[in-house]
Tab-separated table of all heavy atoms in Angstrom:
chain	number	residue	atom	x	y	z
T	425	GLY	N	72.672	115.343	120.598
T	425	GLY	CA	73.730	115.251	119.610
T	425	GLY	C	74.471	116.581	119.560
T	425	GLY	O	74.067	117.706	119.949
T	426	TRP	N	75.718	116.456	118.992
T	426	TRP	CA	76.592	117.611	118.766
T	426	TRP	C	76.894	117.510	117.219
T	426	TRP	O	77.217	116.518	116.717
T	426	TRP	CB	77.858	117.581	119.465
T	426	TRP	CG	77.766	117.919	120.913
T	426	TRP	CD1	77.708	117.135	121.956
T	426	TRP	CD2	77.792	119.255	121.473
T	426	TRP	NE1	77.622	117.807	123.155
T	426	TRP	CE2	77.699	119.158	122.877
T	426	TRP	CE3	77.888	120.557	120.914
T	426	TRP	CZ2	77.731	120.220	123.729
T	426	TRP	CZ3	77.926	121.599	121.726
T	426	TRP	CH2	77.775	121.513	123.085
T	427	PHE	N	76.772	118.659	116.548
T	427	PHE	CA	77.138	118.834	115.218
T	427	PHE	C	78.068	120.057	115.057
T	427	PHE	O	78.202	120.805	116.000
T	427	PHE	CB	75.929	119.053	114.322
T	427	PHE	CG	74.968	117.887	114.167
T	427	PHE	CD1	74.168	117.436	115.259
T	427	PHE	CD2	74.922	117.157	112.985
T	427	PHE	CE1	73.387	116.330	115.130
T	427	PHE	CE2	74.136	116.066	112.869
T	427	PHE	CZ	73.378	115.618	113.935
T	428	ARG	N	78.729	120.190	113.954
T	428	ARG	CA	79.563	121.328	113.728
T	428	ARG	C	79.421	121.772	112.234
T	428	ARG	O	79.153	120.967	111.371
T	428	ARG	CB	81.052	121.031	114.115
T	428	ARG	CG	81.676	119.972	113.176
T	428	ARG	CD	83.081	119.659	113.804
T	428	ARG	NE	83.788	118.739	112.953
T	428	ARG	CZ	84.993	118.223	113.316
T	428	ARG	NH1	85.571	118.512	114.482
T	428	ARG	NH2	85.593	117.336	112.499
T	429	GLN	N	79.757	123.033	112.045
T	429	GLN	CA	79.697	123.561	110.684
T	429	GLN	C	80.877	124.534	110.470
T	429	GLN	O	81.000	125.529	111.249
T	429	GLN	CB	78.456	124.218	110.376
T	429	GLN	CG	78.279	124.667	108.931
T	429	GLN	CD	76.884	125.062	108.649
T	429	GLN	OE1	76.045	125.433	109.541
T	429	GLN	NE2	76.499	125.134	107.356
T	430	ALA	N	81.774	124.251	109.618
T	430	ALA	CA	82.923	125.101	109.276
T	430	ALA	C	82.449	126.022	108.156
T	430	ALA	O	81.563	125.674	107.350
T	430	ALA	CB	84.113	124.307	108.853
T	431	PRO	N	83.110	127.214	107.975
T	431	PRO	CA	82.758	128.087	106.906
T	431	PRO	C	82.792	127.477	105.498
T	431	PRO	O	83.790	126.771	105.143
T	431	PRO	CB	83.822	129.174	107.015
T	431	PRO	CG	84.205	129.176	108.423
T	431	PRO	CD	84.181	127.714	108.872
T	432	GLY	N	81.728	127.620	104.786
T	432	GLY	CA	81.624	127.086	103.407
T	432	GLY	C	81.402	125.613	103.321
T	432	GLY	O	81.404	125.020	102.283
T	433	GLN	N	81.144	124.956	104.489
T	433	GLN	CA	80.873	123.532	104.509
T	433	GLN	C	79.510	123.247	105.102
T	433	GLN	O	78.893	124.095	105.802
T	433	GLN	CB	81.937	122.812	105.279
T	433	GLN	CG	83.361	122.964	104.808
T	433	GLN	CD	84.339	122.139	105.434
T	433	GLN	OE1	84.039	121.146	106.136
T	433	GLN	NE2	85.620	122.485	105.355
T	434	GLU	N	79.014	122.040	104.852
T	434	GLU	CA	77.741	121.664	105.376
T	434	GLU	C	77.904	121.249	106.920
T	434	GLU	O	78.943	120.962	107.383
T	434	GLU	CB	77.148	120.506	104.613
T	434	GLU	CG	76.823	120.829	103.199
T	434	GLU	CD	76.071	119.686	102.485
T	434	GLU	OE1	76.001	118.608	103.092
T	434	GLU	OE2	75.642	119.840	101.350
T	435	ARG	N	76.779	121.338	107.568
T	435	ARG	CA	76.785	120.926	108.961
T	435	ARG	C	77.031	119.363	109.055
T	435	ARG	O	76.499	118.642	108.213
T	435	ARG	CB	75.424	121.217	109.596
T	435	ARG	CG	75.415	121.006	111.118
T	435	ARG	CD	74.105	121.551	111.719
T	435	ARG	NE	73.991	122.998	111.477
T	435	ARG	CZ	72.997	123.691	112.077
T	435	ARG	NH1	72.134	123.156	112.867
T	435	ARG	NH2	72.946	124.971	111.763
T	436	GLU	N	77.849	118.977	109.964
T	436	GLU	CA	78.227	117.544	110.011
T	436	GLU	C	78.076	117.007	111.383
T	436	GLU	O	78.296	117.694	112.424
T	436	GLU	CB	79.647	117.283	109.527
T	436	GLU	CG	80.721	117.908	110.403
T	436	GLU	CD	82.171	117.533	109.945
T	436	GLU	OE1	82.266	116.720	108.969
T	436	GLU	OE2	83.138	117.997	110.548
T	437	PHE	N	77.801	115.747	111.455
T	437	PHE	CA	77.605	115.083	112.783
T	437	PHE	C	79.013	114.979	113.511
T	437	PHE	O	79.991	114.674	112.830
T	437	PHE	CB	77.115	113.631	112.532
T	437	PHE	CG	77.075	112.714	113.663
T	437	PHE	CD1	76.067	112.863	114.654
T	437	PHE	CD2	78.101	111.789	113.844
T	437	PHE	CE1	76.150	111.988	115.753
T	437	PHE	CE2	78.136	110.900	114.935
T	437	PHE	CZ	77.137	111.002	115.868
T	438	VAL	N	78.953	115.156	114.781
T	438	VAL	CA	80.182	114.981	115.604
T	438	VAL	C	80.017	113.801	116.583
T	438	VAL	O	80.836	112.931	116.652
T	438	VAL	CB	80.510	116.312	116.393
T	438	VAL	CG1	81.699	116.125	117.276
T	438	VAL	CG2	80.693	117.466	115.449
T	439	ALA	N	78.966	113.901	117.434
T	439	ALA	CA	78.810	112.896	118.478
T	439	ALA	C	77.317	112.891	118.902
T	439	ALA	O	76.632	113.847	118.687
T	439	ALA	CB	79.660	113.185	119.710
T	440	ALA	N	76.913	111.689	119.481
T	440	ALA	CA	75.543	111.611	119.948
T	440	ALA	C	75.518	110.704	121.126
T	440	ALA	O	76.395	109.801	121.310
T	440	ALA	CB	74.674	111.080	118.875
T	441	ILE	N	74.461	110.857	121.940
T	441	ILE	CA	74.312	109.964	123.158
T	441	ILE	C	72.795	109.738	123.345
T	441	ILE	O	71.953	110.596	123.130
T	441	ILE	CB	74.894	110.757	124.351
T	441	ILE	CG1	74.898	109.870	125.566
T	441	ILE	CG2	74.164	112.071	124.634
T	441	ILE	CD1	75.739	110.483	126.750
T	442	SER	N	72.455	108.488	123.653
T	442	SER	CA	71.080	108.164	123.877
T	442	SER	C	70.503	108.751	125.185
T	442	SER	O	71.299	109.283	125.988
T	442	SER	CB	70.979	106.646	123.901
T	442	SER	OG	71.671	106.053	124.975
T	443	TRP	N	69.218	108.612	125.340
T	443	TRP	CA	68.613	109.269	126.511
T	443	TRP	C	69.172	108.723	127.821
T	443	TRP	O	69.305	109.535	128.779
T	443	TRP	CB	67.094	109.159	126.481
T	443	TRP	CG	66.649	107.729	126.784
T	443	TRP	CD1	66.447	106.763	125.906
T	443	TRP	CD2	66.249	107.224	128.068
T	443	TRP	NE1	65.991	105.638	126.480
T	443	TRP	CE2	65.895	105.863	127.802
T	443	TRP	CE3	66.201	107.793	129.353
T	443	TRP	CZ2	65.440	105.050	128.855
T	443	TRP	CZ3	65.805	106.937	130.345
T	443	TRP	CH2	65.400	105.608	130.123
T	444	SER	N	69.531	107.493	127.906
T	444	SER	CA	69.999	106.876	129.119
T	444	SER	C	71.535	106.886	129.192
T	444	SER	O	72.087	106.411	130.242
T	444	SER	CB	69.516	105.428	129.185
T	444	SER	OG	70.084	104.702	128.107
T	445	ALA	N	72.186	107.446	128.231
T	445	ALA	CA	73.643	107.392	128.115
T	445	ALA	C	74.275	106.012	127.846
T	445	ALA	O	75.499	105.868	127.959
T	445	ALA	CB	74.241	108.085	129.303
T	446	SER	N	73.389	105.080	127.556
T	446	SER	CA	73.935	103.672	127.424
T	446	SER	C	74.573	103.507	126.034
T	446	SER	O	75.371	102.652	125.832
T	446	SER	CB	72.771	102.687	127.519
T	446	SER	OG	71.765	102.971	126.605
T	447	ASN	N	74.235	104.416	125.115
T	447	ASN	CA	74.806	104.366	123.742
T	447	ASN	C	75.368	105.710	123.384
T	447	ASN	O	74.808	106.712	123.584
T	447	ASN	CB	73.720	103.959	122.685
T	447	ASN	CG	73.220	102.597	122.869
T	447	ASN	OD1	74.009	101.594	122.992
T	447	ASN	ND2	71.957	102.447	122.955
T	448	THR	N	76.609	105.688	122.736
T	448	THR	CA	77.214	106.871	122.315
T	448	THR	C	77.754	106.557	120.840
T	448	THR	O	77.990	105.403	120.518
T	448	THR	CB	78.361	107.349	123.170
T	448	THR	OG1	79.319	106.288	123.230
T	448	THR	CG2	77.886	107.779	124.525
């Protein structure tokens, strides 16, 4: 997965991929 955090904000989900890449 990829997450991001901007200053003063909570970490948020950006993108994810399953182990086989069949799901994103």
Side-chain angles (χ1 to χ4, degrees):
W426 284 97
F427 289 74
R428 67 187 182 186
Q429 187 168 19
Q433 298 186 21
E434 294 188 351
R435 190 172 298 189
E436 65 173 1
F437 169 79
V438 176
I441 187 167
S442 61
W443 71 273
S444 64
S446 59
N447 294 310
T448 58

